[in-house]
Amino acid sequence: MNSIVLDLEWNQAQTRDREAPGLTFEVIEIGAVRLDEHGNQTDSFSCLIRPCVYTELFYRVREVVGISMKQLEAEGIPFLDAMERFWKWCGKDPVFFTWGDMDLTELQRNIAYFGRENPFAFPLFYYDVQKLYSLYCLDGHARASLESVIETLALPKKWPFHRAVYDAAYTGCVLSQLEKQSWQSMVSVDYYRPPKNAQEEIYLVFERYSKFVSQLYQSREEAMEARNVSSMVCYKCGRNVTRRMNWFSDNNRKYFGLAYCPRHGWLKGKIRVKHCDGQVFMIKTMKLTDAEGARKIKAKSELMKKRRMEKAAEKGLRS
DNA sequence: GGATATACTTGTCCCACCGT
DNA sequence: ACGGTGGGACAAGTATATCC
């Protein structure tokens, strides 16, 4: 496997009104390391980019990133040239590892902004080492900073942080501490390019849950009417399961549902609404749960009803 | 039809954390 | 400052019901 650990540094506008449409963040450095099957670093890539949209460092970027604008102007090359070099360096069928879920998205956004064809595979699977670390060393939800994890693992601080190639190397160090068997099935999906049609829709089955990424729809209502989105399937046996309630939303970003598989028991569903150029696409996850988990979802679904009834009761008492 | 009251939906704002 | 996650609280806007 051609494993590439990627890290970027980027800059942004001083104020929102000075933001260039389509480019919130401008990449100023690409760094990467290549890992062999044992997790050892075999090669590295480092390239500064001369920015042409935001030519002044935003103060927070200046505080965090160890690069000056002078340095970028003197040593940096145009983004597309850097990207070309990087892509060549990556080689055949690269598999990407990052710290966090933003780097591949922002890299593609820059590629689109500067008018290059998107070279990445579709769908773009990758490994988020920050997430993997949380799954196996934290609660699976919390996100730790790279530096804090290096400290926790008592790994040597050989280089400064917040330089792309060094952060990539550190990320590789963290990855090599994790058991490969445990993480190799835990791929993440990059959502920069959502599926364009039913054929491109993505369905993944993991040990503990399944994930479905829908095509684009005009509205969340239209999406929720689509069978692929609203259907509930037991990811353990693949059969359609009895829905125990209709999908309901607790706010405008998520829907919840509950079903029962005769062989595997309760299944809870969650659908996240993601926006993309005025359209929406849905990410559905299905997870096995127990009677207690099922009870919680039922309670949640009836929360609105309960409130309504309570209000009605209060009103009744008053009158 | 118009005005008002209520119920529900949708958007926005907070908090925490991470990334640049 | 911006991007993301996951909560929760609240207000503005929309839909429905009721009354004149």
Side-chain angles (χ1 to χ4, degrees):
Chain A
M1 189 164 85
N2 182 15
S3 303
I4 307 286
V5 187
L6 166 69
D7 189 69
L8 305 174
E9 308 301 317
W10 56 69
N11 185 31
Q12 68 183 85
Q14 304 293 318
T15 55
R16 185 132 227 200
D17 53 308
R18 289 194 218 167
E19 188 178 305
L23 192 78
T24 310
F25 301 126
E26 183 177 24
V27 174
I28 54 174
E29 187 180 36
I30 300 175
V33 299
R34 197 188 315 276
L35 303 178
D36 65 17
E37 33 308 5
H38 309 293
N40 300 313
Q41 187 180 318
T42 59
D43 196 4
S44 70
F45 178 90
S46 180
C47 191
L48 289 174
I49 291 155
R50 186 165 60 241
C52 61
V53 178
Y54 307 123
T55 52
E56 210 177 315
L57 287 177
F58 183 64
Y59 73 99
R60 284 190 176 262
V61 175
R62 197 187 309 130
E63 282 170 11
V64 164
V65 178
I67 311 170
S68 69
M69 189 51 80
K70 265 191 180 171
Q71 203 176 346
L72 291 175
E73 281 164 358
E75 302 168 33
I77 63 172
F79 172 77
L80 287 182
D81 295 345
M83 186 60 211
E84 217 59 48
R85 277 194 209 175
F86 173 62
W87 192 250
K88 227 174 233 177
W89 177 85
C90 281
K92 203 167 182 291
D93 301 329
V95 176
F96 291 100
F97 297 75
T98 59
W99 189 262
D101 59 3
M102 289 185 73
D103 292 79
L104 284 166
T105 295
E106 295 309 329
L107 186 57
Q108 289 175 92
R109 212 189 297 283
N110 276 254
I111 288 168
Y113 182 86
F114 290 107
R116 186 203 198 277
E117 195 188 333
N118 192 324
F120 291 98
F122 182 89
L124 178 51
F125 297 118
Y126 70 102
Y127 291 94
D128 177 351
V129 182
Q130 187 188 42
K131 176 180 163 183
L132 296 175
Y133 178 80
S134 184
L135 281 169
Y136 295 105
C137 302
L138 304 173
D139 63 358
H141 180 69
R143 294 293 184 262
S145 69
L146 182 56
E147 185 166 4
S148 72
V149 172
I150 295 297
E151 282 169 4
T152 303
L153 296 176
L155 295 170
K157 289 190 179 184
K158 297 183 219 169
W159 318 283
F161 286 86
H162 296 293
R163 281 300 300 264
V165 69
Y166 296 144
D167 280 8
Y170 279 128
T171 301
C173 291
V174 175
L175 180 71
S176 67
Q177 300 288 307
L178 304 174
E179 286 287 334
K180 191 169 185 182
Q181 287 91 337
S182 66
W183 60 255
Q184 61 186 359
S185 65
M186 300 300 291
V187 290
S188 296
V189 186
D190 177 79
Y191 297 128
Y192 177 72
R193 291 174 295 178
K196 287 192 290 290
N197 51 50
Q199 286 72 42
E200 287 191 351
E201 287 181 331
I202 302 160
Y203 182 63
L204 298 167
V205 178
F206 301 104
E207 273 294 304
R208 283 171 262 182
Y209 66 100
S210 67
K211 176 181 278 190
F212 170 77
V213 184
S214 85
Q215 61 179 304
L216 288 163
Y217 293 95
Q218 293 305 316
S219 68
R220 80 193 69 210
E221 293 77 15
E222 191 196 326
M224 291 306 288
E225 282 170 17
R227 259 196 77 193
N228 279 353
V229 175
S230 65
S231 71
M232 295 187 111
V233 172
C234 174
Y235 62 96
K236 288 288 183 191
C237 56
R239 72 180 76 183
N240 264 301
V241 286
T242 329
R243 225 194 289 177
R244 291 300 175 93
M245 64 170 63
N246 286 326
W247 291 98
F248 67 95
S249 74
D250 71 334
N251 59 34
N252 62 349
R253 239 174 272 154
K254 273 185 235 114
Y255 291 83
F256 296 91
L258 187 64
Y260 190 82
C261 170
R263 270 185 65 189
H264 299 98
W266 290 104
L267 281 156
K268 57 178 178 179
K270 184 166 82 178
I271 298 178
R272 275 189 294 156
V273 183
K274 299 268 285 181
H275 297 262
C276 178
D277 295 334
Q279 293 183 292
V280 299
F281 65 102
M282 314 299 256
I283 299 164
K284 173 173 66 184
T285 54
M286 299 292 298
K287 203 173 194 174
L288 281 175
T289 187
D290 53 11
E292 174 62 14
R295 192 194 59 74
K296 278 183 181 169
I297 301 211
K298 284 179 196 165
K300 204 168 190 170
S301 80
E302 282 164 20
L303 192 63
M304 298 290 272
K305 279 184 191 173
K306 279 180 187 171
R307 279 181 188 164
R308 219 183 305 149
M309 286 169 73
E310 279 164 12
K311 276 181 189 173
E314 275 175 34
K315 192 188 165 193
L317 282 173
R318 261 189 262 116
S319 59

